[in-house]
Amino acid sequence: MTNRERAMNILHYQPADRFPAVHFGYWSELLEEWAGQGKISKELAESVADGNEADRELDRIIGWDFDWCRTVGPRNGLFPSFEYKVLETLPDGTQRVQNELGLIERVKPGVASIPSEDDYVLKDREAFETLYKPKMLYAPERIDLEYYKHFNETRPMDVPVGLALGSVLGDIRNMVSVVGMSYLIYDEDEELFADIVDTYAEMQYQCVKAVLETGAKFDFAHYWEDICFKNGPLLSPDIFEELCAKHYKKRNDLCRQYGIDIISLDCDGVTEKLLPTWFENGVNTMFPIEVGVWGDQFEAARGRFGKGMLGVGGMDKTAFRKDKAAVDAEIERMKRLASLGGFLPCPDHRIMPGSSFELVQYYAEEIKRIKV
């Protein structure tokens, strides 16, 4: 069997000869560490990106079968984006920059973590109508029609490939920050935030529709929607339902019309309170199911929603920074989750600095031994 067949069979509760070894990429700092240790070349470390040839070469070296985030999609963000520009350099070298989304951040030299959010441009209706709305509208230039017309002839057939559906709210949160989103939701103009969400979602729907109308075939569809943290959602679940449910349903119904019935969504943090909105409107695959300080979520979700709730992820990646016993414990837990069916074990986010190359190799090989 191919890894594409293995993955799709397992997520459809069909027989497979073994589990595929699935991952979700790496922190760039980890790849630099491994290059410094002589485990991989510096050139390879600098070239890896989700699903590209360097990623697949590293898969072969480690023993992975594929990266779940092998997706392709249209230009479904701000188009054109804002110009990235430095606004100010502070005495300690920190730069205040306006990024491509119009968010103003503080970027510290030598620090690789998420920049501090300092300010934002999208504060009122005037900014939306004049600066953002023109960048949120559908245009044919967003779709490389020739690429998708020949997609079925050129795409790899040995691994699953997904259609990137975009983001209903996560992208907008990135444009304005959590603080800015909170203010906009409760702005005096009660319709403004809904207009922003509706405008952006309609553009993304039109992008998905244009791609699917070319005849391009995909194994699954995938959202990026980081809208939760370690204590739960970043906004009221009721407001999320009101703003977003109709857009998930519209996009997911379209995917199913074109034969895509595996629809996954990447959201970090504690997602429990948003799962009903996603599941009831067509999202059926949790990813990456972060373990974090709050523990495993997939069994509870399966118990709540039944066999229609699928999962990819759930393996506590911090075990790679510990020892073989910790990795063995995670493999045993993955066996338990795998026994539920409709679940693919995968590290619960990008593998972090300090992870042992040998332990990652060991895990990848052992996962393939789990009986389906």
Side-chain angles (χ1 to χ4, degrees):
M1 298 184 77
T2 67
N3 288 306
R4 178 190 181 202
E5 292 168 337
R6 292 182 181 109
M8 292 299 103
N9 277 20
I10 289 168
L11 292 176
H12 286 100
Y13 296 92
Q14 298 297 316
D17 59 346
R18 66 168 175 84
F19 270 83
V22 185
H23 71 100
F24 178 30
Y26 321 84
W27 284 43
S28 60
E29 291 82 2
L30 173 62
L31 299 179
E32 291 170 9
E33 285 181 10
W34 284 352
Q37 296 163 4
K39 308 296 183 183
I40 60 176
S41 71
K42 185 174 185 293
E43 292 73 23
L44 182 60
E46 293 173 347
S47 303
V48 171
D50 285 332
N52 71 1
E53 185 52 43
D55 191 31
R56 298 194 76 179
E57 174 61 22
L58 188 52
D59 286 351
R60 289 187 281 270
I61 293 170
I62 291 176
W64 295 119
D65 288 317
F66 62 88
D67 181 342
W68 179 254
C69 278
R70 188 181 181 93
T71 60
V72 298
R75 301 180 183 93
N76 55 13
L78 295 181
F79 183 71
S81 59
F82 286 89
E83 178 188 359
Y84 183 95
K85 55 186 177 183
V86 177
L87 304 177
E88 181 183 4
T89 300
L90 304 177
D92 67 352
T94 297
Q95 292 182 327
R96 291 183 73 248
V97 305
Q98 178 180 293
N99 70 16
E100 293 86 349
L101 299 177
L103 186 68
I104 298 170
E105 303 174 314
R106 290 185 178 232
V107 179
K108 295 183 178 181
V111 176
S113 64
I114 298 171
S116 300
E117 297 164 342
D118 200 45
D119 203 353
Y120 53 100
V121 174
L122 181 50
K123 291 185 176 182
D124 53 31
R125 182 164 290 278
E126 181 180 3
F128 171 57
E129 296 287 350
T130 61
L131 299 176
Y132 277 83
K133 189 172 182 178
K135 298 177 182 294
M136 291 182 172
L137 300 179
Y138 176 76
E141 294 77 20
R142 289 177 174 273
I143 314 297
D144 184 346
L145 287 176
E146 286 305 308
Y147 171 75
Y148 288 108
K149 285 177 181 177
H150 300 284
F151 182 75
N152 299 336
E153 306 158 21
T154 59
R155 59 153 286 175
M157 299 301 293
D158 58 331
V159 295
V161 176
L163 170 61
L165 296 178
S167 163
V168 175
L169 197 57
D171 281 356
I172 295 170
R173 188 266 298 164
N174 272 352
M175 295 173 201
V176 297
S177 78
V178 175
V179 171
M181 180 178 71
S182 302
Y183 277 114
L184 282 168
I185 287 172
Y186 296 102
D187 192 89
E188 291 179 4
D189 180 349
E190 295 181 358
E191 302 300 321
L192 174 58
F193 196 71
D195 285 351
I196 295 170
V197 173
D198 291 349
T199 300
Y200 197 70
E202 179 60 23
M203 172 273 292
Q204 295 202 329
Y205 172 83
Q206 294 299 332
C207 285
V208 171
K209 184 170 180 286
V211 170
L212 291 173
E213 285 177 345
T214 66
K217 302 294 184 183
F218 301 89
D219 301 300
F220 66 101
H222 185 67
Y223 291 92
W224 177 87
E225 198 72 278
D226 280 0
I227 203 68
C228 297
F229 73 125
K230 69 182 183 68
N231 292 329
L234 293 169
L235 76 166
S236 157
D238 290 339
I239 292 175
F240 185 77
E241 168 78 17
E242 179 183 349
L243 290 170
C244 301
K246 60 188 176 183
H247 296 303
Y248 289 115
K249 178 171 174 51
K250 184 176 180 181
R251 221 172 293 178
N252 296 336
D253 285 351
L254 178 66
C255 287
R256 285 183 166 82
Q257 289 174 24
Y258 283 86
I260 303 173
D261 64 352
I262 301 294
I263 302 178
S264 72
L265 183 146
D266 174 348
C267 185
D268 304 345
V270 178
T271 60
E272 175 188 0
K273 292 181 180 179
L274 300 188
L275 287 179
T277 294
W278 288 324
F279 187 71
E280 290 164 13
N281 292 283
V283 175
N284 62 359
T285 307
M286 296 173 64
F287 174 85
I289 318 176
E290 283 192 315
V291 176
V293 298
W294 53 90
D296 178 39
Q297 302 174 73
F298 183 68
E299 281 176 301
R302 171 60 63 78
R304 183 179 178 186
F305 296 102
K307 294 180 70 174
M309 176 61 81
L310 311 174
V312 178
M315 181 269 174
D316 184 356
K317 66 184 177 298
T318 64
F320 296 137
R321 303 175 74 175
K322 299 174 185 176
D323 53 30
K324 184 173 177 292
V327 175
D328 282 337
E330 280 303 294
I331 291 170
E332 289 303 311
R333 201 167 62 81
M334 291 303 98
K335 289 179 181 178
R336 186 186 78 240
L337 293 177
S339 71
L340 300 174
F343 176 83
L344 292 174
C346 174
D348 68 341
H349 213 288
R350 299 190 184 277
I351 304 172
M352 64 181 68
S355 297
S356 162
F357 185 83
E358 287 76 17
L359 287 179
V360 174
Q361 280 187 316
Y362 171 72
Y363 169 84
E365 289 306 314
E366 290 299 310
I367 283 297
K368 299 172 188 175
R369 302 180 191 276
I370 296 178
K371 301 296 183 184
V372 179

